[in-house]
Amino acid sequence: MDNIQVFMRIRPLSEDEYRRDRTTESAVRFLSENTVSIPSQRTENFTFDFVGNETCTQQDVFDAVGRRAVERCMQGYNGTIFAYGQTGSGKTFTMQGARDEFTGPTDELRGLIPRCFEYLFKRISEEEVRTNGRVKYLCKASYVEIYNETIYDLLDPVMRTCAVREDIKRGVFIDNVTEETVQDPTEAYDVFMRGTHSRHVSATAMNRESSRSHSLLMLVIQSLSQTETDGLTEVRESVFNLVDLAGSERQKLANTTGLRLKEAANINKSLSTLGNVINSLVDINSGKSRHVNYRDSKLTFLLRDSLGGNSVTFIIANVSPAMCNDAETASTLRFAQRAKMIRNKAVVNHDMQGNVPQLQAEIQRLKQQLAQAELSQPQTTITLSENTQSNGPSIKEHATAQYLLLLALRKLQESESQRSR
């Protein structure tokens, strides 16, 4: 099991914050490379996996978070990156970048999402070359927002609403959402920008383009490799979630009224539910018995696998260095520190496809391989202890064979069940 990884990013001081504070002193004090505190709030020390100061670049964030997440997705694991912080703390800049239009891979201010697109398709191209075309990849993208606790399909021309469903095989999913196949970084970014232009944004006293909704970009990455001997197809499928959360805000500072105030109330409510879910998961990890209320908001229900489930998850905690925002900064860091204690149970999403004779032949082959491994295991242990080398099957190969046998048996049962109908 892997703990959620947390990256803290401090954005530069804004002109408005300088006029308000009349000082360039930062509310965040560095105690070591990865440890900070907020002296004005008399907080405890906060230690994270990575900490980026005001000079942290977009490339630094990608190297610490995006590259690692893409690599795990290429291996067949689900992955999630989400940005958390108060309104105006730099979440959308971190995820998307500084401009509304993508200017290409030479744009130094492009965000985590376009950089992940570039690296993902670069790795796909490398893998297809390395395997001489035996492994084929398929990527599909969908993009939704959660606005006032309603899910909208951002890729649909009329932005229809969607329902969240749960299935034994698929888990939690969005029903009837638009999925588009993307074959290169440019196509993926076109899909992303088309959906971004449909998002609910508005100006507040703290942010000229404040996100009034949570957005979730989902990439489904499938790899299909056909074995040369038996014609079976090995399928790996990972879901890569890129989440830009709307920021928490205080009405006194944001000066929201009317519809903006209602939006803020729904945003704060869903973020509060997210905090409650994280607190419950931390208690469970400590051995306490707790019910996790994932269903209390659409956001937590959709992110269920990302929080304590089958996903490799990264959180980017965006904060302001201004003294006038020290309370919100401390709150963000407390949230991130609690989230870092959550342990996920990520597994490779692996399956086998083939007809009944092929599956039966594969089961027979795996049974023989397991029998051989069990017979040679004692000898293998002795040889390893004496000479650190062995010609027999390794423990890892033994476990892999058992796993593949279970998959083949399950697929055979499903095929026979369909035939009997």
Side-chain angles (χ1 to χ4, degrees):
M1 293 193 293
D2 296 322
N3 283 71
I4 289 177
Q5 302 286 295
V6 177
F7 182 103
M8 172 190 168
R9 187 180 195 184
I10 310 170
R11 66 155 171 78
L13 193 73
S14 71
E15 292 182 8
D16 288 342
E17 289 168 336
Y18 176 72
R19 284 196 295 268
R20 192 180 305 165
D21 288 345
R22 294 294 179 182
T23 179
T24 58
E25 181 185 0
S26 175
V28 182
R29 177 177 297 172
F30 277 78
L31 302 179
S32 66
E33 183 179 5
N34 293 329
T35 304
V36 299
S37 68
I38 314 293
S40 60
Q41 288 290 309
R42 299 180 180 179
T43 63
E44 67 275 24
N45 298 337
F46 302 100
T47 301
F48 302 112
D49 299 284
F50 316 93
V51 176
N53 60 20
E54 291 92 331
T55 63
C56 175
T57 66
Q58 300 283 61
Q59 184 64 38
D60 293 336
V61 178
F62 170 74
D63 289 338
V65 178
R67 189 186 304 274
R68 298 173 63 201
V70 171
E71 286 292 348
R72 298 304 293 272
C73 288
M74 288 292 294
Q75 296 167 6
Y77 293 94
N78 294 331
T80 298
I81 302 174
F82 69 84
Y84 180 91
Q86 77 174 112
T87 184
S89 59
K91 299 181 299 298
T92 299
F93 173 78
T94 295
M95 298 299 288
Q96 177 180 327
R99 298 179 176 88
D100 288 338
E101 299 297 336
F102 180 49
T103 58
T106 58
D107 183 359
E108 291 299 322
L109 294 181
R110 69 194 190 282
L112 191 65
I113 289 175
R115 291 173 189 268
C116 284
F117 290 158
E118 294 160 12
Y119 188 64
L120 171 63
F121 287 101
K122 175 177 176 286
R123 289 289 294 113
I124 286 174
S125 178
E126 290 173 349
E127 283 300 302
E128 289 180 342
V129 170
R130 186 184 66 82
T131 59
N132 294 320
R134 289 194 304 273
V135 179
K136 300 293 183 183
Y137 285 87
L138 175 66
C139 291
K140 294 177 289 185
S142 54
Y143 196 14
V144 300
E145 73 169 354
I146 305 173
Y147 175 70
N148 286 341
E149 279 301 293
T150 301
I151 297 176
Y152 292 90
D153 186 345
L154 293 175
L155 299 182
D156 183 74
V158 297
M159 282 185 62
R160 69 176 181 272
T161 59
C162 299
V164 184
R165 309 289 187 199
E166 188 173 12
D167 182 80
I168 295 177
K169 287 187 177 180
R170 297 178 61 183
V172 178
F173 66 97
I174 302 173
D175 192 27
N176 203 30
V177 70
T178 302
E179 280 191 324
E180 297 192 13
T181 301
V182 289
Q183 299 179 335
D184 56 52
T186 302
E187 286 187 7
Y189 201 79
D190 286 345
V191 168
F192 171 64
M193 290 311 301
R194 185 154 32 96
T196 297
H197 289 151
S198 299
R199 281 191 71 184
H200 287 84
V201 297
S202 65
T204 69
M206 296 187 67
N207 192 350
R208 288 178 304 169
E209 294 185 358
S210 175
S211 299
R212 314 309 292 168
S213 65
H214 309 300
S215 72
L216 172 59
L217 176 69
M218 294 166 286
L219 289 175
V220 177
I221 306 163
Q222 290 181 334
S223 67
L224 295 89
S225 58
Q226 191 166 14
T227 56
E228 296 179 352
T229 55
D230 47 33
L232 289 172
T233 301
E234 178 186 358
V235 181
R236 292 191 180 190
E237 179 176 296
S238 59
V239 179
F240 189 16
N241 297 314
L242 294 156
V243 188
D244 181 12
L245 297 178
S248 59
E249 59 185 51
R250 290 161 59 190
Q251 191 274 336
K252 181 179 178 181
L253 293 177
N255 292 330
T256 51
T257 58
L259 179 60
R260 301 288 88 83
L261 183 60
K262 178 184 177 183
E263 293 167 345
N266 279 296
I267 291 168
N268 290 338
K269 180 182 177 182
S270 64
L271 292 176
S272 176
T273 302
L274 177 62
N276 292 336
V277 164
I278 285 176
N279 288 338
S280 297
L281 290 169
V282 171
D283 286 344
I284 290 172
N285 287 343
S286 302
K288 299 178 182 177
S289 178
R290 290 285 186 273
H291 173 67
V292 184
N293 296 309
Y294 288 109
R295 292 177 178 268
D296 282 0
S297 82
K298 300 287 178 58
L299 174 66
T300 51
F301 195 29
L302 282 175
L303 292 179
R304 189 175 68 178
D305 269 348
S306 304
L307 300 169
N310 178 22
S311 176
V312 178
T313 300
F314 298 84
I315 295 176
I316 303 174
N318 294 86
V319 299
S320 160
M323 297 297 293
C324 60
N325 291 324
D326 59 350
E328 286 76 12
T329 295
S331 176
T332 296
L333 297 187
R334 290 191 183 99
F335 169 91
Q337 184 147 284
R338 289 195 302 271
K340 184 171 162 43
M341 300 171 66
I342 297 174
R343 303 190 70 183
N344 283 1
K345 301 174 281 293
V347 297
V348 174
N349 302 300
H350 184 287
D351 205 349
M352 300 289 288
Q353 293 181 355
N355 57 37
V356 172
Q358 288 173 332
L359 289 168
Q360 289 174 334
E362 178 67 3
I363 289 170
Q364 189 61 35
R365 186 187 69 80
L366 289 169
K367 283 181 177 179
Q368 292 174 355
Q369 184 178 337
L370 279 171
Q372 180 185 358
E374 289 169 355
L375 287 172
S376 59
Q377 199 64 43
Q379 182 62 37
T380 302
T381 305
I382 296 170
T383 307
L384 283 170
S385 62
E386 293 177 353
N387 200 17
T388 69
Q389 291 183 348
S390 172
N391 294 324
S394 67
I395 296 174
K396 184 177 180 180
E397 290 172 342
H398 188 185
T400 301
Q402 286 182 317
Y403 178 64
L404 291 174
L405 177 57
L406 288 173
L407 283 175
L409 284 168
R410 189 183 70 188
K411 295 300 292 186
L412 180 59
Q413 289 171 352
E414 290 176 358
S415 299
E416 291 178 341
S417 177
Q418 291 175 357
R419 289 175 66 191
S420 64
R421 292 175 187 171

